[in-house]
Amino acid sequence: GGSRLDAIATHWGLIRDAHASGRPGEVVAARRALTLRYARAVRQYVGGLVQSQADADELAQEVVVRLMKGDFSVADQARGRFRDLLKTAVRNMVRNYWARTNRRRPADVELDHLPGATPDADAEPAWDAAWQANVLEHTWEALKEYERTHPGSHLYTVLRMRADYPDWTSEQLAKKLCDRLGGSIRADACRQILRRARLRFAQYLIDEIKIGLADTSPDRITEELAEIGLLQ
C-alpha cells in the first residue's frame, strides 16, 4: 500500500501542499503538519547553539511561525533536501540573534567553522543528531498507530520491549508480553511478531526518509540513512 502519512502523496507532497495557492484549507493543514513534523528537531538544534533556553525557545518558535506562514516557499526538490534548507534557515536566524542581541557566542560554537557551513561540506553532527531523533520519533509513532488500528498485532509493544530490554531472550520477552496482555504466547510466536515488527519499522523508517528527498532511489535512501546514523 501507499504511505500511511496523511497529506503526503509523494516524498515532497507535504512541502508542496504547505506552499500551494488556491487551496486554503489544504495549505493550512499541510503547514500545521509540517510544523509538527520538524519543530522538535529545530528546538533541539537551537538549544545546542544558544545558551539561554528562553532565547532558544523564542528562536525555535520563530522558525515554527515561519513554517506556519509559508516562508519556506522556496523549498524545491530540485535544490536538494528540505532538511538542508531548514538547517540553513535556522543557522541564519541564530546568526541574526547573536548580531541583534550582541550576545557572545558560546566558546565552543562558531557557525562559520562548523562542518556544514558551506553547501558542499560534510553534514553537521548536531543537526544530524536532531534529525535522527526526529525521524525515529515519527517512525515509532507510525508503528504505534499501526498497532492501534490493527488490534492483536502487538508489533509496537514487542519491538518497544526489545529496544528496552536488548539482552532478553525470546522466552523472557514472551513472558513479559503475557504478563502485560494476558493469555499465553510462546517464544517462537514472539520471535515471529518481532520479525514482522522489524520489517514494518524498517518500511516506516524508509517512508520517513523519503519525505524530504528529491531522489528516492535505493542508493540515495541508503546514503541518507548512513548520513544520519540509521543505516544499521
Side-chain angles (χ1 to χ4, degrees), residues 98-188:
W98 281 334
R100 183 174 69 246
T101 61
N102 198 28
R103 300 289 181 88
R104 292 185 57 191
R105 296 168 174 77
D108 58 345
V109 174
E110 173 55 65
L111 288 181
D112 291 332
H113 296 120
L114 284 174
T118 58
D120 56 351
D122 292 336
E124 182 183 335
W127 178 249
D128 287 346
W131 203 263
Q132 181 197 85
N134 188 68
V135 167
L136 286 174
E137 176 187 6
H138 289 293
T139 303
W140 278 111
E141 284 298 319
L143 190 64
K144 188 174 184 178
E145 177 64 12
Y146 178 87
E147 180 172 297
R148 187 188 71 79
T149 56
H150 294 75
S153 66
H154 310 314
L155 300 190
Y156 173 83
T157 299
V158 170
L159 192 60
R160 188 75 261 177
M161 282 182 183
R162 169 55 76 200
D164 292 340
Y165 306 101
D167 298 327
W168 277 16
T169 64
S170 297
E171 288 74 14
Q172 288 173 306
L173 286 174
K175 183 179 185 305
K176 182 74 171 179
L177 192 60
C178 290
D179 291 343
R180 178 172 297 183
L181 302 176
S184 176
I185 299 176
R186 300 194 312 273
D188 59 342

Side-chain angles (χ1 to χ4, degrees), residues 13-232:
L14 180 60
I15 296 163
R16 280 199 304 271
D17 288 348
H19 302 97
S21 60
R23 296 177 295 167
E26 292 182 24
V27 168
V28 170
R31 288 179 184 175
R32 183 178 295 113
L34 196 64
T35 299
L36 290 172
R37 182 159 296 279
Y38 298 124
R40 186 169 296 185
V42 168
R43 177 59 183 83
Q44 180 178 332
Y45 180 61
V46 173
L49 298 176
V50 176
Q51 289 177 316
S52 165
Q53 293 306 296
D55 288 347
D57 287 341
E58 183 177 342
L59 280 170
Q61 183 62 31
E62 192 174 341
V63 176
V64 167
V65 169
R66 289 190 61 191
L67 282 167
M68 287 301 295
K69 288 171 60 181
D71 286 358
F72 292 90
S73 58
V74 296
D76 181 351
Q77 65 186 53
R79 299 176 61 185
R81 298 174 301 200
F82 181 74
R83 71 180 175 98
D84 290 336
L85 181 147
L86 188 59
K87 180 181 74 171
T88 298
V90 173
R91 287 158 69 92
N92 288 339
M93 292 174 76
V94 171
R95 283 193 181 94
N96 292 339
Y97 157 81
W98 281 334
R100 183 174 69 246
T101 61
N102 198 28
R103 300 289 181 88
R104 292 185 57 191
R105 296 168 174 77
D108 58 345
V109 174
E110 173 55 65
L111 288 181
D112 291 332
H113 296 120
L114 284 174
T118 58
D120 56 351
D122 292 336
E124 182 183 335
W127 178 249
D128 287 346
W131 203 263
Q132 181 197 85
N134 188 68
V135 167
L136 286 174
E137 176 187 6
H138 289 293
T139 303
W140 278 111
E141 284 298 319
L143 190 64
K144 188 174 184 178
E145 177 64 12
Y146 178 87
E147 180 172 297
R148 187 188 71 79
T149 56
H150 294 75
S153 66
H154 310 314
L155 300 190
Y156 173 83
T157 299
V158 170
L159 192 60
R160 188 75 261 177
M161 282 182 183
R162 169 55 76 200
D164 292 340
Y165 306 101
D167 298 327
W168 277 16
T169 64
S170 297
E171 288 74 14
Q172 288 173 306
L173 286 174
K175 183 179 185 305
K176 182 74 171 179
L177 192 60
C178 290
D179 291 343
R180 178 172 297 183
L181 302 176
S184 176
I185 299 176
R186 300 194 312 273
D188 59 342
C190 189
R191 284 194 294 271
Q192 287 300 314
I193 296 172
L194 185 60
R195 183 185 66 82
R196 291 195 298 271
R198 284 172 168 155
L199 289 172
R200 189 160 292 275
F201 186 92
Q203 183 57 60
Y204 287 157
L205 180 61
I206 290 170
D207 286 348
E208 199 64 36
I209 291 297
K210 284 182 177 179
I211 293 171
L213 295 180
D215 173 9
T216 57
S217 65
D219 286 347
R220 186 64 193 89
I221 291 170
T222 299
E223 181 182 342
E224 181 75 358
L225 287 167
E227 285 187 16
I228 60 174
L230 291 176
L231 184 58
Q232 68 275 23

